Amino acid sequence: MEALKRNAKRVLTDAAGYGLIVLGVALGWLPGPGGIPLVLAGLGLLSVNNAWARRLRGYLLKHGGRIAQFLFPPNPFVQWLYDALAVLLLIAVGILGWKHAAIWQVSLAAALFFIALFIAALNRDRWSRIKQKR
């Protein structure tokens, strides 16, 4: 009876982990961080019972910061381009918000707004400076 209970708990934990990963991928296109926390939560649940998920989680925790360094290098020209892209996206958000004739335009404006905030926060290491001021 104890083995059945233990195996049922493992199956339910793994099913919840895979479910969160699938849900994270399905909701990843929506505005905001949506899918990333769900995928990480699913990976956390899977890492309870699976060695491969534990290794993957450890790798992501160890090397995850390199992604921001790769996407936002300390090159002044690239930083300027990212700032210009963020401003252009915010202008597009303003235009779409002003002329919002269809629901897809409002959704696109919301998605572009969060993308512009993401670019502006990570470019020039602004996010770490904001965290240090707190």
Side-chain angles (χ1 to χ4, degrees):
M1 187 67 170
E2 185 65 31
L4 181 65
K5 188 176 178 181
R6 187 177 59 243
N7 285 336
K9 185 178 177 183
R10 179 184 175 130
V11 167
L12 289 175
T13 304
D14 285 353
Y18 285 119
L20 284 174
I21 289 174
V22 169
L23 188 63
V25 171
L27 297 177
W29 61 275
L30 292 174
I36 296 171
L38 290 175
V39 169
L40 292 177
L43 186 60
L45 281 175
L46 287 172
S47 68
V48 170
N49 297 320
N50 299 300
W52 65 266
R54 236 182 330 275
R55 286 191 306 269
L56 180 60
R57 187 188 63 176
Y59 178 82
L60 290 175
L61 288 173
K62 185 177 179 183
H63 300 292
R66 291 186 191 176
I67 295 170
Q69 292 173 349
F70 176 75
L71 291 176
F72 301 99
N75 183 339
F77 180 71
V78 173
Q79 290 173 341
W80 180 85
L81 284 177
Y82 274 124
D83 284 340
L85 177 63
V87 169
L88 288 173
L89 287 175
L90 289 174
I91 290 170
V93 166
I95 292 170
L96 286 172
W98 183 38
K99 303 219 180 217
H100 64 281
I103 190 69
W104 70 268
Q105 290 174 334
V106 175
S107 300
L108 180 62
L112 290 178
F113 177 75
F114 284 110
I115 291 170
L117 285 181
F118 176 77
I119 291 171
L122 290 183
N123 191 24
R124 300 177 194 248
D125 211 18
R126 289 184 183 113
W127 183 249
S128 64
R129 285 187 274 158
I130 290 170
K131 285 173 58 176
Q132 286 175 353
K133 289 182 182 179
R134 291 176 131 197

